[in-house]
């Protein structure tokens, strides 16, 4: 009985201790599980953060396409956070039509599809507008950098492709628009049509550096500014009075290989010329003056240079006077004549002497910039009056005659010697006769 009672009394204690142990084990397991879950959530969040490639507002996304789809009317800017290989289409949520893509110093590379059916790095559908700002790079690789059926505005960035760099399309339903104010563009062909396009659309270049060819026949392409490496087809695209100015020299003395589109410009190596009558003078034609001063128009603008005929005539009148002064051995004071050289559009109604112009090619373009001009100054050096010969002596003050000079020829010297000898002989004869005569008197 005692042992049974003792066993009965011990069992409740043992059961209590066991219960406490189970509870503590359960609490520890729950805490461990919660910590593991918490750590895993943080790790997932960190991984998601590290894989983010684009950002809209404060939210980040693992793909650029997803970020474009999360733009809003209040925040339409997609910022690139890392270099990424992805071909994207500008398809924002309903109601959003304008998207700004900030390259943020990173590169967006087209997805290589391995065939001609691949997609451009960026595709702009009809009725969508995309603005791209740099710095950063959009690389097409074997695909175009941009295909555009909507509106594209490029303010900066570097764009490259091994194919056509950018393609645009005007169809019966839509018309693409392009505007370029900055950036660097490099490809074998810079602009061209999409396959189903009837025309390019309306593309305007207002700045940037373009290394590659632009095909002929893109009738709605307009070049207002920018620098170009290939000028073979640019003439029809130059708007109004624009022309091409050869690039300046770099540090090694070589040209930069680019041509810069800008307003109509006149350049000349000699803005002042000095003519020396002593070296010979002749009247100058307008072409003579242009050649003498090396005055010319920038590249391919459809303009000619016209020299002011009245000023040129005034210069030639002064040249005539200087020539006459030299011929008559008279003095001529130095004179200077300013001559205006003006760029006049071919086909203008001005009546111009054929000898007073030098022009460019046959393309005719209207312009609001007619009348730009440059001036050259031509100076004719002075001619001094020749020195006068010395005047003869004045009357009443005759010069004293000098002693005649003795002849110095050989015959004259011989004659003087003979005369002297005869005089000596005559003197000797006289002396002899006198002595003989006195001797005869003494004897008598």
């Amino acid at each position: 009985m005692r042992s049974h009672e003792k066993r009965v009394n011990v069992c409740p204690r043992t059961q209590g201790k066991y219960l406490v142990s189970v509870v503590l084990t359960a609490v520890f397991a729950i805490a461990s599980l919660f910590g593991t879950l918490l750590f895993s959530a943080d790790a997932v969040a960190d991984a998601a953060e590290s894989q983010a490639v684009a950002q809209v507002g404060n939210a980040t996304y693992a793909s650029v396409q997803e970020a474009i789809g999360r733009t809003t009317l209040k925040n339409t800017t997609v910022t690139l956070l890392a270099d990424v290989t992805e071909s994207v289409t500008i398809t924002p949520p309903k109601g959003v039509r304008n998207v700004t893509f900030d390259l943020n110093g990173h590169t967006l590379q087209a997805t290589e599809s391995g065939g001609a059916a691949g997609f451009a790095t960026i595709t702009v559908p009809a009725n969508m507008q995309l603005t791209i700002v740099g710095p950063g790079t959009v690389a097409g690789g074997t695909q175009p950098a941009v295909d555009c059926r909507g509106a594209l505005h490029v303010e900066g960035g570097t764009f490259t492709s091994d194919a056509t760099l950018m393609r645009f399309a005007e169809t019966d339903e839509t018309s693409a628009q392009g505007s370029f104010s900055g950036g660097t563009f490099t490809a074998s062909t810079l602009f061209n049509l999409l396959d189903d396009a009837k025309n390019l659309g309306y593309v305007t270049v207002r700045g940037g550096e373009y290394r590659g060819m632009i095909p002929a026949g893109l009738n709605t392409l307009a070049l207002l500014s920018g620098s170009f490496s290939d000028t073979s087809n640019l003439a029809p695209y130059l708007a109004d009075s624009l022309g091409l100015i050869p690039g300046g020299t770099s540090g090694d003395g070589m040209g930069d290989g680019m041509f810069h589109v800008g307003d109509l410009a006149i350049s000349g190596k000699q803005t002042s010329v000095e003519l020396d009558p002593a070296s010979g003078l002749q009247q100058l034609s307008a072409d003579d003056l242009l050649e003498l001063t090396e005055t010319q128009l920038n590249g391919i603008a459809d303009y000619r240079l016209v020299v002011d005929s009245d000023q040129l005539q005034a210069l030639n009148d002064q040249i005539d006077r200087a020539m006459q002064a030299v011929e008559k051995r008279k003095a001529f004071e130095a004179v200077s004549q300013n001559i205006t050289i003006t760029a006049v559009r071919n086909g203008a109604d001005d009546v111009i002497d054929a000898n007073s112009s030098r022009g460019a090619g046959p393309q005719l373009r209207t312009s609001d910039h007619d009348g730009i001009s440059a001036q050259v100054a031509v100076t004719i050096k002075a001619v001094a009056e020749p020195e006068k010969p010395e005047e003869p002596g004045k009357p009443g003050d005759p010069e004293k005659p000098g002693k005649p000079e003795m002849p110095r020829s050989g015959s004259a010297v011989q004659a003087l010697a003979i005369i002297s000898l005869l005089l000596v002989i005559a003197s000797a004869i006289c002396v002899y006769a006198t002595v003989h005569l006195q001797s005869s008197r003494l004897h008598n």
Side-chain angles (χ1 to χ4, degrees):
M1 284 293 293
R2 290 181 182 175
S3 84
H4 177 72
E5 289 177 0
K6 185 178 181 180
R7 190 180 298 119
V8 170
N9 293 335
V10 170
C11 282
R13 293 179 190 169
T14 303
Q15 289 177 354
K17 291 179 180 181
Y18 177 77
L19 214 72
V20 170
S21 176
V22 170
V23 170
L24 290 175
T25 301
V27 170
F28 179 77
I30 292 171
S32 298
L33 179 62
F34 180 76
T36 301
L37 291 175
L38 187 61
F39 175 80
S40 298
D42 290 341
V44 170
D46 291 342
E49 185 73 22
S50 64
Q51 293 174 0
V53 298
Q55 180 175 341
V56 177
N58 295 324
T60 60
Y61 303 93
S63 75
V64 179
Q65 190 66 61
E66 183 183 5
I68 293 171
R70 298 301 180 93
T71 54
T72 65
L73 290 174
K74 293 183 178 180
N75 197 336
T76 61
T77 298
V78 176
T79 303
L80 202 60
L81 299 178
D83 295 349
V84 61
T85 298
E86 183 180 355
S87 294
V88 300
T89 302
I90 306 305
T91 51
K94 186 176 180 180
V96 179
R97 290 289 179 266
N98 304 319
V99 173
T100 298
F101 192 33
D102 184 355
L103 298 174
N104 194 32
H106 295 290
T107 296
L108 179 63
Q109 169 76 51
T111 303
E112 295 291 342
S113 65
F119 296 100
T121 310
I122 300 175
T123 299
V124 184
N127 302 318
M128 289 295 171
Q129 178 174 310
L130 174 66
T131 299
I132 301 177
V133 298
T137 300
V138 178
T142 60
Q143 305 302 324
V146 179
D147 279 348
C148 181
R149 297 178 183 273
L152 172 67
H153 303 290
V154 177
E155 299 176 4
T158 298
F159 298 80
T160 64
S161 175
D162 298 333
T164 297
L165 185 65
M166 295 189 181
R167 299 186 298 182
F168 297 86
E170 178 181 318
T171 64
D172 292 336
E173 293 79 19
T174 61
S175 178
Q177 297 181 4
S179 177
F180 299 85
S181 59
T184 301
F185 307 84
T186 303
S188 56
T189 302
L190 295 170
F191 304 121
N192 216 331
L193 307 179
L194 278 162
D195 296 337
D196 62 338
K198 292 185 176 180
N199 295 293
L200 183 72
Y202 295 89
V203 178
T204 303
V205 174
R206 293 181 169 85
E209 183 176 292
Y210 301 82
R211 297 186 179 275
M213 181 196 70
I214 296 178
L218 306 180
N219 296 329
T220 50
L221 171 66
L223 307 183
L224 303 181
S225 187
S227 301
F228 297 82
S229 65
D230 189 326
T231 64
S232 54
N233 298 315
L234 296 190
Y237 304 131
L238 295 175
D240 295 335
S241 63
L242 301 179
L244 293 177
I245 305 172
T249 56
S250 58
D252 57 4
M254 302 296 291
D256 62 5
M258 303 293 285
F259 285 80
H260 309 292
V261 175
D263 286 334
L264 184 67
I266 299 176
S267 62
K269 292 186 178 180
Q270 302 290 337
T271 57
S272 61
V273 176
E274 192 173 64
L275 304 178
D276 189 354
S279 301
L281 287 179
Q282 63 179 11
Q283 290 196 347
L284 299 177
S285 68
D287 283 345
D288 292 335
L289 183 65
L290 295 176
E291 185 174 353
L292 189 64
T293 59
E294 298 185 58
T295 303
Q296 58 186 356
L297 283 167
N298 53 333
I300 59 177
D302 187 41
Y303 282 70
R304 63 187 185 277
L305 293 177
V306 177
V307 175
D308 187 289
S309 57
D310 292 338
Q311 294 173 342
L312 183 61
Q313 185 58 52
L315 173 64
N316 282 324
D317 290 344
Q318 296 292 349
I319 289 176
D320 282 341
R321 295 189 184 97
M323 294 167 61
Q324 292 173 11
V326 171
E327 183 179 350
K328 296 179 179 179
R329 299 178 64 83
K330 291 184 177 180
F332 177 82
E333 294 184 358
V335 294
S336 183
Q337 175 68 51
N338 289 328
I339 301 180
T340 303
I341 301 174
T342 305
V344 176
R345 178 168 45 87
N346 283 335
D349 295 331
D350 305 75
V351 178
I352 303 296
D353 183 357
N355 293 326
S356 66
S357 66
R358 179 180 295 173
Q363 297 88 11
L364 294 180
R365 294 185 296 277
T366 58
S367 171
D368 295 329
H369 304 289
D370 288 345
I372 72 164
S373 60
Q375 276 200 340
V376 297
V378 182
T379 300
I380 305 175
K381 294 177 67 174
V383 176
E385 189 171 354
E387 294 183 1
K388 296 180 179 180
E390 294 183 2
E391 296 181 358
K394 295 180 180 179
D397 187 19
E399 295 182 0
K400 296 181 180 180
K403 296 182 180 180
E405 294 183 358
M406 297 296 292
R408 297 184 183 276
S409 65
S411 58
V413 172
Q414 291 178 358
L416 288 173
I418 293 171
I419 292 171
S420 299
L421 180 60
L422 292 175
L423 289 174
V424 171
I425 294 172
S427 299
I429 293 172
C430 290
V431 170
Y432 175 79
T434 301
V435 171
H436 182 71
L437 187 61
Q438 289 178 351
S439 176
S440 297
R441 286 178 181 174
L442 290 175
H443 288 298
N444 294 330

